[in-house]
Amino acid sequence: MVFLHAGNPSLPPPLPEMLYLIGLGLADETDVTVKGLEVIRKVERVYLEAYTSILLVNTEKLEAYYGRPIIIADREMVESASDEILAGADTSDVAFLVVGDPFGATTHTDLVLRARELEIPVQSIHNASIMSAIGATGLQLYNFGQTVSMVFFTETWKPSSFYDRLKENQQIGLHTLILLDIKVREQSLANLARGRKIYEPARFMTVAQCASQMLETEGDRRESVCGPQSLAVGIARVGAKDQKMVTGTLKQLSEIDLGAPLHSLVLLGRRTHYLERDFIRDFAIDPAWFDAVWSEFYEGKQ
């Protein structure tokens, strides 16, 4: 049934205004979909979520390509002041841009739930995510288990909950995608306690740092989940022209330099298919050592 507009019975009623969650892909300004770009160019306001991930280009380049000014939405705005983003979304369209896919972080689910409470319609426009693009490693997506995050350790805080997820995946032979920490526009504990809006320089965890922290945790837990001879794949700048990938033991990866962010790491599962093995071997730091480790710890363990 079609309801006609009261002011002009020949016209359908105007569509309700909308909050659009738009995935931007992984690398640069050209990764946005055609549908996403069309929406960006027509909405009233455009926000860019800028703390769970980053593109490999700056905001000015995005604004030039999209033809729109962009409002940066940091962690504080999204998690504590979401009503600012949603303000007016019941009377004008608003776009919320997310690197990767809109639902790659739980924070964005919270935003959708808040919009529902305010009876603001929501539409998602999806895009490539690291969760799917990690297939560039040659590892089959259905051989992955739980994804885990690795945060920067401090002298007094070295959480090891990731280790339990690695162990659960290991027990059924599955790979583990490890998403590496980024620190963007974050305050030190001292500045946070004093209420000072002073932010630390941005930091992006590297594959080497992640591998080192995994080995440190293995040294504490000693359950043979991620030891020096565990095979893993490190990958940087997925989807970019200078994407880089290496395969090696965690010991080898703890000493590797893959250059600029963003980095990810995959811990290899015992059920690795021989086609997966052949693919990742081409990127081995030391092919002969890869073969030796594979033969001793992985061959016939599928």
Side-chain angles (χ1 to χ4, degrees), residues 110-180:
D110 292 341
L111 186 63
V112 171
L113 292 174
R114 180 59 180 149
R116 287 180 185 172
E117 290 176 6
L118 298 173
E119 298 184 346
I120 297 171
V122 179
Q123 181 178 336
S124 299
I125 300 176
H126 297 281
N127 208 319
S129 163
I130 188 62
M131 303 291 284
S132 57
I134 199 63
T137 58
L139 300 175
Q140 299 165 10
L141 294 181
Y142 50 79
N143 280 344
F144 279 78
Q146 303 168 84
T147 298
V148 303
S149 297
M150 178 69 75
V151 301
F152 282 109
F153 285 0
T154 69
E155 289 299 319
T156 59
W157 187 60
K158 299 182 179 183
S160 62
S161 57
F162 75 90
Y163 189 91
D164 299 309
R165 305 290 84 75
L166 295 181
K167 183 178 179 180
E168 289 167 357
N169 287 344
Q170 180 199 58
Q171 288 171 341
I172 51 177
L174 298 179
H175 313 312
T176 304
L177 169 61
I178 304 173
L179 305 177
L180 310 192

Side-chain angles (χ1 to χ4, degrees), residues 19-30:
L19 170 66
Y20 291 93
L21 301 183
I22 302 175
L24 299 183
L26 295 170
D28 60 31
E29 72 279 13
T30 64

Side-chain angles (χ1 to χ4, degrees), residues 39-84:
V39 170
I40 291 169
R41 287 177 173 170
K42 79 176 183 67
V43 299
E44 184 74 18
R45 301 194 314 277
V46 180
Y47 292 90
L48 172 63
E49 186 268 271
Y51 66 90
T52 59
S53 190
I54 60 164
L55 286 177
L56 306 181
V57 294
N58 60 33
T59 305
E60 289 74 21
K61 199 161 188 177
L62 295 181
E63 290 180 324
Y65 188 79
Y66 299 158
R68 296 298 311 281
I70 292 174
I71 303 167
I72 298 298
D74 60 16
R75 182 186 296 274
E76 183 178 357
M77 175 183 285
V78 178
E79 296 186 349
S80 304
S82 61
D83 284 357
E84 181 179 338

Side-chain angles (χ1 to χ4, degrees), residues 179-193:
L179 305 177
L180 310 192
D181 200 6
I182 72 171
K183 299 290 187 185
V184 179
R185 197 175 162 78
E186 298 210 2
Q187 297 168 271
S188 67
L189 291 177
N191 286 327
L192 191 62

Side-chain angles (χ1 to χ4, degrees), residues 81-118:
S82 61
D83 284 357
E84 181 179 338
I85 297 170
L86 298 174
D90 55 342
T91 58
S92 60
D93 290 326
V94 174
F96 185 74
L97 312 184
V98 180
V99 177
D101 186 81
F103 290 104
T106 55
T107 297
H108 311 136
T109 303
D110 292 341
L111 186 63
V112 171
L113 292 174
R114 180 59 180 149
R116 287 180 185 172
E117 290 176 6
L118 298 173

